[in-house]
Amino acid sequence: MTRTELENQTPAAARLRTSWALAAAGSLLLALGPLLGVVDGAEPAFTSWPLLALLALLPPAVAGVLLMRGRPFVAAGLLSAAGVFAVGRLLSDFQIVLDAMDVARPELFRPDTLVAVTPSTGVWLLIAGHVLVIAGGALSAGRAGMPADESEPPTLVAFPVLIAAIAAIGLLGKPFTSIDPFQLDRGPWELPVLGLIGGLLVAVAAPLATALAASSPDPDTRQGGTIGVSLSLLAVVVPPLAVGTVASGLSISAGSVTAFTAALLLPAVPLLGRTVRLLRGKRDETHDPELPSTRRLHVTAGVFAVLAAVAMLVGALLPQLVLTAGGEAPGLASVNLLWVAGLAFGVLGLLLFVPAAAAVVRPALLGGYLAMQLAAAGMTEVVVAASQVGVAQPGAGFWLMVVEAPLGLLALACTGLAGAIDRENAGEVEKEQVPVAELGAVLLAGLFAVGAFVMPTMRGDKYVSPTLVPDSDPAVSWALLISLTLLIMTLVLVFRSRPARGAATLAGAALLLGVRALELPLTGDRVEGAVAAPGTWLALASVAALLVAAGLMGARSAR
């Protein structure tokens, strides 16, 4: 519906503008509350009000932009989803009024004594803000009374609901972990009745609002609901993640990371649906209008890829482990692999911003992403093992490293849709006879890659590096198995690509094998008597074969 069409429906348009005004006013109160302080007698764990203000104002700001661009259905879906979350958040914040010492909200206040704190003006602003957001969401429900001018049977309904359900499971856990005796780290199950009900309603809001949006026949409502759920989840989980990162004595919990990951993955679902329709050749201009341009998708993918790389690199800088008994944990050798994989993926992300290079570089992104996951797997195994023993907890660096996975997936989703649009626009491509030299180089690369993943890359005194066979390092073994499976599939499909795209795909695969080959030189200094095992040499041989095949394909594309 265009802006002119919306203005012609005066009652409905006025109702939607009123719902936006209510939500915007409520969000403004939510931003002011932390600035004025919600209790007397305690300060926040860090200067949190700028972050909380940004998270509060983001939904109405996005909805306002959508309204100005003539997308009222999307805006209505966003505001409705935010209103569903506000019900539980209202009860959770009201618990501060009843008994603030039972609340685990260090972004709002962190007690440093056992003396009870008293609620102040800020908490009443929070409560009033939630009430206004609920009113705005209720008023915009059902597209504020506006009839849909198009409909499309919903697809992939179960997938977004499943992601939202995973987010709900994360929200039911501890928001952070604490070794501070004055700061509780209670999850919803450990709170008084009002806090328990509020926490449960917030958790249930994720799959409920997602199901309502995903099952709508209106594509704009589905899109707006997905955006609203994502922004609402971020408003709930980002503050405890920030607290666990910057506040002493507090650490990030697995539940918050799970919900955060789900919040980042949800916006990729519409892209996945569009990609599936394009790959099936079922694009309908009536039901699937205004597909984003490949240029916009390349830029969006570049943003996500760079953010993923930055998360991995900053994660490599920050502590991966925090000793339970206090003190600084020793550095981990596997951090060195994070640097290589993160820098390589970041360069690919930057090249996506260059119009002349984006389409050529795009296929290499999958190999770069797998390289990052393979590098991260070794770190994950060490951190998880230390946590299970009880000697340490995951540090801020580890959780930042985890964040790169969903960001990278969003980048892959954007490049996948861009590739599907390119293939549809190009139509049938005339198949060329694959030269024997290229075929032989790719076959050799595949055989060498199988050996590189099946056999260890390093041996030492009483040590053998992980392989595909799960033994003491299941996380690494699973990463190797998944990487090898996707690599073989990529090599099989590369001959169905245009030569330039195939060359880039092979270059991305070389990044993955390169990370495997660098395990000894980058991590071997922590292993006594470390020497190269057959996997290292096979990985190097595979890298050489992949680069030769990429060069041959690149030369053929230039002819």
Side-chain angles (χ1 to χ4, degrees), residues 509-522:
L511 287 177
L512 172 61
L513 271 299
V515 168
R516 180 68 172 159
L518 289 172
E519 183 176 350
L520 172 64
L522 293 182

Side-chain angles (χ1 to χ4, degrees), residues 360-361 363-364 366-367 487 490-491 494 497 500-510 546:
V360 178
V361 170
L366 175 60
L487 174 65
T490 300
L491 295 182
V494 73
S497 306
R501 307 290 195 271
T505 302
L506 294 173
L546 287 167

Side-chain angles (χ1 to χ4, degrees), residues 285-311:
E285 293 298 336
T286 301
H287 291 166
D288 199 9
E290 298 182 7
L291 280 173
S293 65
T294 54
R295 173 61 183 153
R296 185 188 304 175
L297 288 169
H298 288 156
V299 172
T300 305
V303 170
F304 285 129
V306 170
L307 289 176
V310 169

Side-chain angles (χ1 to χ4, degrees), residues 111-152:
D112 54 7
T113 68
L114 294 177
V115 178
V117 297
T118 56
S120 62
T121 306
V123 71
W124 297 110
L125 293 181
L126 292 181
I127 292 172
H130 291 310
V131 171
L132 291 177
V133 171
I134 294 170
L139 199 58
S140 63
R143 300 181 299 273
M146 292 180 290
D149 58 357
E150 60 181 86
S151 64
E152 173 189 337

Side-chain angles (χ1 to χ4, degrees), residues 14-24 76 79 132-133 135-140 144:
R15 181 178 175 184
L16 184 55
R17 285 194 292 267
T18 301
S19 69
W20 178 84
L22 289 171
L79 295 174
L132 291 177
V133 171
L139 199 58
S140 63

Side-chain angles (χ1 to χ4, degrees), residues 102 110 165 188 261 280 346 405 459 488 495:
D102 281 333
R110 181 177 184 177
T261 303
R280 290 178 177 177
R459 297 184 186 274
I488 297 301
F495 295 113

